[in-house]
């Protein structure tokens, strides 16, 4: 059965309204301040750390993102933590909020498909995060130039901008997840708690659970263990399990893109490093190739979660 | 089943339902409904909560699937061509909600955009609709400050702004105070004057009677009675009109007997010495007056009452209890 008319009709209307709502909402303002303040603190730490080192480094700007000092985590570590929070904050009441305000049936009685409503809300959330990330990026680069006095190179700009795009995909995963929960659960509080619970599980508990699970699946070789060496099978299982978590994938993307000397994200054997100049940076394209599978996985996760939400929303009854 | 909905000849139905069924798992919410709504009328969907009124409405809008049977709205199947249908229908849901943090004008501007109204036209149409429902003065206040009656009116403004050909109002007056209710009913009549077909669902019998041309009585997913109120009265009560006559009889004449012999009168009840209540199958005022005068009586007062929907409703369910066959016959 084919539907008549375009599923995108009304998309721009929903998108603009939701974007305006997000940008003017108190919730967003609180989240933005949270991000900005922690980011500035991290940056300050990074800048003072960089100032102390006298070593020559062609990627000083990228260091701003990744260097941590003392107890303060690095700027990207903070982003990896706060991006999910922001995405969940924007998505957890997307659909059940309309239900509870009793606006859903009135809006769907207008000549639009449900597709437009869901996609419009999702894109508006993404756009909001994109705007915030771009502002943060400008803040970092501006502060970097101002405080360090080193103009950024073209490659640094390119690497950090591509990082931004992947960070957006990472945000998309959490936004899609929060929206899925907002469709499945009628109460926004339940949706918010479940989203935050999932996030805590994957970001905090999973790094502890994954190695234990890997050892259960592929027990380490006793002889290697005596020598203090890891078993390859266990190592690979650990990594595979860790990569279920979007936070871990994001961490790997960050590593490959912002630390140009990263050659591989998996285990590397000595013979594979033969002829390599230790610590030498990779070309941008090579770093991108290293990060590519992780980035694709993030985008795929976002699409799968959005599709799950889409199916659930299409089947849902509109009446409250 | 095809109908030319757009430039249809005057009385071609705008909504046609045939054996409409909606099942939720094992439960049947709507059970073989068939009805037609003709253009320009106010059609009342009547019945207790959970009788299938809202489900029927949602099927008309293509917002819930039809399990069996067909429904055609303005010549389109809402399941297959929901946009074509929703472009021409206005819907005011039960306990309509708005975005509380936006003003009335902003709320309407948003739906105007979704309706696809041209940008240049939007603000004029929003303003005009708000004026018609008398919300122009408070248009720039946030909807959070609105009373329930004002929200309902705002919902009606949305339908007016859409220039809908059919307005579907689900329980529009429930929870309104009598004054707001009266105002709201006036606005519905105004819609009718503009040539809009109105579908009104309610469980407030007296209001439905006041404005509906025809009603369909729902029970457990079926329409058990359908027609205009006098028609239903004839069907259920056996008489459509109640005429009260207050007259002083001339000595020696039996006025009650004289009145009973008027054609069309089914029964005469003597309420007081000089007051009689006639039940008749049409308006028998002139004949009754003539009969009183002919008997040399002094006619003091003559009034005609349509039987109340409530009486019909109560009586119907009473008889139904006695006779289970009525359910299936209806």
């Amino acid at each position: 059965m084919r539907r008549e008319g375009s599923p995108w009709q009304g998309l721009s209307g929903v998108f603009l309204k939701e974007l305006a709502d997000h940008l003017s909402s108190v919730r967003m303002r609180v989240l933005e301040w949270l991000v900005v303040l922690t980011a500035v603190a991290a940056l300050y730490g990074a800048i003072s750390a960089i100032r102390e080192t006298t070593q020559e480094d062609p990627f000083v700007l990228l260091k701003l993102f990744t260097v941590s000092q003392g107890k303060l985590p690095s700027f990207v570590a903070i982003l990896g933590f706060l991006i999910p929070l922001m995405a969940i904050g924007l998505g957890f009441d997307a659909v059940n909020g309309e239900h509870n305000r009793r606006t859903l049936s009135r809006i769907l009685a207008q000549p639009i498909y449900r597709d437009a409503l869901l996609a419009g809300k999702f894109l508006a959330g993404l756009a909001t995060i994109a705007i915030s990330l771009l502002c943060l990026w400008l803040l970092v680069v501006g502060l970097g130039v101002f405080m360090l006095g080193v103009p950024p190179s073209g490659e640094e700009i390119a690497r950090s901008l591509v990082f931004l795009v992947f960070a957006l995909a990472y945000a998309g995963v959490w936004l899609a997840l929060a929206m899925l929960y907002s469709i499945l659960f009628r109460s926004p509080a339940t949706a918010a708690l479940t989203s935050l619970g999932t996030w805590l599980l994957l970001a905090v508990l999973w790094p502890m659970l994954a190695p234990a699970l890997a050892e259960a699946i592929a027990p380490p070789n006793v002889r290697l263990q005596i020598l203090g060496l890891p078993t390859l099978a266990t190592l690979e299982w650990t990594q595979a399990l860790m990569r279920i978590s979007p936070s871990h994938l994001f961490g790997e993307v960050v590593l490959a893109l912002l630390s140009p000397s990263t050659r591989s994200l998996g285990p590397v054997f000595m013979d594979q490093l033969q002829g390599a100049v230790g610590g030498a940076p990779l070309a941008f394209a090579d770093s991108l190739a290293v990060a590519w599978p992780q980035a694709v996985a993030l985008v795929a996760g976002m699409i799968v979660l959005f599709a799950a939400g889409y199916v659930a929303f299409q089947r849902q009854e509109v009446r409250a | 089943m095809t109908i030319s909905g757009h430039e249809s000849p005057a009385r071609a139905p705008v909504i046609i339902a045939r054996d409409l069924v909606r099942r939720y798992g094992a439960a049947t919410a709507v059970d073989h409904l068939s009805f037609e709504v003709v253009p320009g009328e106010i059609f009342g969907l009547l019945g207790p909560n959970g009788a299938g009124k809202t489900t029927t409405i949602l099927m008309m809008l293509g917002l819930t699937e039809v399990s069996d049977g067909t429904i055609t709205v303005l010549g389109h199947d809402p399941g297959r061509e929901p946009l074509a249908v929703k472009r021409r229908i206005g819907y005011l849901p039960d306990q309509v909600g708005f975005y509380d943090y936006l003003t009335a004008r902003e709320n309407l501007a948003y739906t105007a955009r979704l309706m696809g109204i041209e940008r240049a036209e939007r603000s004029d149409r929003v303003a005009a609709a708000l004026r018609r429902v008398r919300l122009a003065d408070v248009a720039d206040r946030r909807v959070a400050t609105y009373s329930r009656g004002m929200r309902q009116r705002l919902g009606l403004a949305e339908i007016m702004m859409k220039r809908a050909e059919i307005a579907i109002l689900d329980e529009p007056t429930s929870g309104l105070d009598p004054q707001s209710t009266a105002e709201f009913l006036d606005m519905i009549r105004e819609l009718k004057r503009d040539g809009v077909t109105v579908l009104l669902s309610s469980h407030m019998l007296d209001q439905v009677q006041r404005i509906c041309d025809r009603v369909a009585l729902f029970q457990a997913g079926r329409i058990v009675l359908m027609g205009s109120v006098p028609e239903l009265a004839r069907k259920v009560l056996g008489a459509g009109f109640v005429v009260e006559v207050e007259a002083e009889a001339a000595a020696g004449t039996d006025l009650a007997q004289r009145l009973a012999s008027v054609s069309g009168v089914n029964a005469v009840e003597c309420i007081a010495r000089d007051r009689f209540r006639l039940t008749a199958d049409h308006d028998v005022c002139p004949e009754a007056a003539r009969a009183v005068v002919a008997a040399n009586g002094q006619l003091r007062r003559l009034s005609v009452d349509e039987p109340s929907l409530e009486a019909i409703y109560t009586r119907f369910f009473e008889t139904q209890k006695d006779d289970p066959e009525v359910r299936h016959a209806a």
Side-chain angles (χ1 to χ4, degrees), chain A residues 42 75 86 97 113 139-140 181 196 257 260 262 264 270 283 293 302 309:
Chain A
F75 177 71
M86 213 163 168
Y113 280 114
L139 188 77
V140 172
Y181 287 148
L196 289 173
L257 275 177
T262 309
S264 162
M270 282 313 285
M302 169 177 92

Side-chain angles (χ1 to χ4, degrees), chain A residues 21 98 106 108 110 317 319, chain B residues 55 86 97 99 101 158:
Chain A
D21 282 0
E98 300 271 346
R106 189 173 59 84
L108 288 180
Q110 308 311 327
E317 288 294 324
R319 65 192 305 177
Chain B
T55 309
K86 290 195 284 190
Y99 299 102
Y101 48 90
E158 190 177 281

Side-chain angles (χ1 to χ4, degrees), chain A residues 101-103 105-106 319-320, chain B residues 49 53-54 57-58 91-97 148 152 168-175 201 203:
Chain A
R101 272 194 300 264
R102 297 179 163 277
T103 43
S105 50
R106 189 173 59 84
R319 65 192 305 177
Chain B
N49 297 330
K53 292 170 294 177
T54 303
I57 288 173
L58 291 179
Y91 174 45
L92 178 65
D94 182 13
Q95 293 181 15
V96 62
R148 185 147 161 58
Q152 294 296 117
I168 300 180
L169 315 174
D170 196 355
E171 305 279 0
T173 54
S174 70
S201 122
H203 51 244

Side-chain angles (χ1 to χ4, degrees), chain B residues 129-146:
Chain B
L130 286 168
R131 260 198 309 280
R132 281 191 66 183
V133 297
R134 296 191 272 284
L135 287 175
D137 300 340
V138 289
D140 293 310
R141 262 168 48 184
R142 290 191 307 128
V143 176
T145 63
Y146 275 30

Side-chain angles (χ1 to χ4, degrees), chain B residues 234 237-245 255-270 276-292 302-304:
Chain B
R234 255 198 300 281
L237 304 176
F241 290 82
V242 175
V243 176
E244 265 192 32
V245 180
L255 209 50
Q257 203 186 351
R258 294 285 185 106
L259 287 170
S261 61
V262 171
S263 81
V265 173
N266 299 324
V268 178
E269 197 184 338
C270 209
F276 307 91
R277 181 184 288 152
L278 322 178
T279 38
D281 48 20
H282 64 275
D283 188 351
V284 292
C285 285
E287 291 91 337
R290 205 175 306 129
V292 172
L302 193 61
S303 69
V304 63

